[in-house]
Amino acid sequence: MVYVYIFVMAFVTYLLRVIPLTVFRKKIENQFLCSFLYYVPYACLTALTIPAIFSSTASVISAAAGLVTAVILGFWNKGLFTVAASACVVVFLTERLLGL
Amino acid sequence: MNSEFKRGLKDGLPIAIGYFSVSFSFGILALQQGLTIFQSVLTSLTNITSAGQFAGLQIIVAGGTILEMILTQFIINLRYALMSLSLSQKLDKKVTLWQRFIMAFANTDEIFAVAMSHQKSLTMSYMAGLQLLPVFGWTAGTGVGAVASSLLPDSLCSALNLALYGMFVAIVVPVARKARPVMCVVLIAIVLSCIFYYVPLFQSISGGIAVILATVIAASVGAWLFPVPASEKDMDS
């Protein structure tokens, strides 16, 4: 059953990538649709992160510390790797401080 | 070696390193949630997408329906359709139809961003070089993470679970800081997502559907209140 899920995931993802590149070669003109698609990644990544991030680590406190670290570094325009790695380090240190 | 291909490899290397670290945490998470090493590597090799795989994993673990999986992947990865559309406008005239089928496979957020900032029109050689290392990094990272998950202490796994979210934050926050409409969309998404999660009335809604609803509503409100002018879209892509 897990393989069915994986196949469905891969198939839907590939279709979304391949259809516009091969079939539709015109530009989208509808402004609402364009604007909607422009906002989708930000809305989606945000909804994926919050509130799920708070239950991703051993403690809500360490997750919150990691989130705050990531937001601050993101605000300073640090790269993906720097932000993600620093947030992980802060989670690790926070959990050691909490004695988990 | 073709110089376009070499240039692609060079542009793809930093992406590959970033992908390795994030997919490493995907591998750990996938094993923790009960997938096998082979299944987690297969997922990464066939999908090459962080948010989609991550949400998909939650659905697999929760035993969600196939329809839920299709809808979630469709909404979360809908942005790729827009990216592929933009990419199609920048392709070299010599690129054939079957080459389009190949380069569509790994059109990720980061690869797309780098391809669009490439000075010349995009050839198959360049795209092949650009995508090769990130695909390898993404798949290999998952494999190493999956193998290491049983060896790593719980304390490290707990910290690494945050890596994926850290990357999402790193994508969203810099844009939200610059563009107030994006900030509004992000805040709406946070409020909706929390309502679906914490308000008892909505707790029958599964995680995947909650993400879809929050995304569609927040992005629609954004599109309605702050239509994006054509020039800004080009700048973003």
Side-chain angles (χ1 to χ4, degrees):
Chain A
M1 192 56 186
V2 171
Y3 292 100
V4 178
Y5 283 121
I6 295 174
F7 173 78
V8 168
M9 283 169 74
F11 187 68
V12 174
T13 307
Y14 182 64
L15 279 187
L16 285 168
R17 284 171 171 160
V18 81
I19 290 175
L21 204 51
T22 52
V23 182
F24 303 111
R25 307 207 187 162
K26 285 186 197 163
K27 271 204 165 173
I28 297 178
E29 299 291 350
N30 183 302
Q31 196 187 27
F32 182 85
L33 190 59
C34 286
S35 307
F36 175 79
L37 288 171
Y38 169 79
Y39 291 121
V40 159
Y42 307 111
C44 184
L45 294 182
T46 303
L48 277 170
T49 304
I50 294 171
I53 189 171
F54 297 113
S55 49
S56 69
T57 64
S59 144
V60 176
I61 299 168
S62 63
L67 176 62
V68 169
T69 307
V71 169
I72 292 172
L73 291 178
F75 200 79
W76 290 342
N77 283 316
K78 300 296 175 191
L80 293 190
F81 179 73
T82 312
V83 175
S86 308
C88 289
V89 169
V90 167
V91 170
F92 185 81
L93 294 178
T94 308
E95 291 182 358
R96 298 292 75 68
L97 276 175
L98 293 171
L100 287 169
Chain B
M1 217 190 314
N2 177 317
S3 70
E4 280 279 285
F5 182 75
K6 252 192 262 180
R7 177 65 204 272
L9 284 179
K10 204 178 141 216
D11 290 350
L13 183 63
I15 302 177
I17 295 171
Y19 278 6
F20 187 92
S21 57
V22 171
S23 71
F24 184 87
S25 69
F26 176 80
I28 291 174
L29 195 66
L31 267 273
Q32 280 179 350
Q33 309 276 22
L35 262 62
T36 64
I37 294 174
F38 178 74
Q39 286 166 345
S40 63
V41 172
L42 184 69
T43 305
S44 283
L45 179 63
T46 54
N47 283 268
I48 323 276
T49 172
S50 59
Q53 282 180 218
F54 179 66
L57 181 64
Q58 287 180 330
I59 293 172
I60 294 174
V61 172
T65 63
I66 293 293
L67 181 66
E68 194 181 335
M69 178 67 94
I70 293 172
L71 279 175
T72 308
Q73 296 302 313
F74 183 81
I75 292 295
I76 291 175
N77 292 332
L78 194 56
R79 64 186 193 280
Y80 292 134
L82 186 68
M83 293 176 190
S84 282
L85 202 64
S86 302
L87 199 71
S88 71
Q89 318 283 321
K90 203 178 184 286
L91 293 184
D92 195 87
K93 280 184 190 136
K94 285 179 208 143
V95 175
T96 63
L97 184 64
W98 74 267
Q99 288 175 334
R100 287 171 184 252
F101 277 100
I102 296 172
M103 62 174 73
F105 178 70
N107 186 22
T108 67
D109 305 60
E110 291 78 10
I111 286 170
F112 168 76
V114 170
M116 293 308 282
S117 64
H118 188 56
Q119 299 298 331
K120 292 178 278 182
S121 61
L122 301 166
T123 62
M124 183 65 204
S125 300
Y126 177 75
M127 290 304 289
L130 180 62
Q131 294 179 332
L132 189 67
L133 294 177
V135 167
F136 181 76
W138 185 251
T139 309
T142 306
V144 174
V147 171
S149 71
S150 57
L151 309 172
L152 293 175
D154 288 347
S155 57
L156 265 184
C157 290
S158 173
L160 284 168
N161 278 342
L162 205 94
L164 223 46
Y165 297 113
M167 194 189 67
F168 294 162
V169 171
I171 293 173
V172 171
V173 170
V175 184
R177 181 195 177 182
K178 270 191 303 184
R180 219 170 57 94
V182 173
M183 180 69 91
C184 290
V185 168
V186 164
L187 292 177
I188 294 168
I190 290 175
V191 171
L192 289 173
S193 190
C194 286
I195 288 174
F196 291 140
Y197 191 82
Y198 293 112
V199 175
L201 182 66
F202 297 108
Q203 281 183 349
S204 58
I205 299 175
S206 73
I209 302 288
V211 168
I212 295 171
L213 287 176
T215 300
V216 171
I217 296 171
S220 298
V221 171
W224 176 55
L225 291 178
F226 317 103
V228 182
S231 58
E232 212 172 304
K233 255 173 10 230
D234 291 343
M235 198 182 71
D236 175 64
S237 49

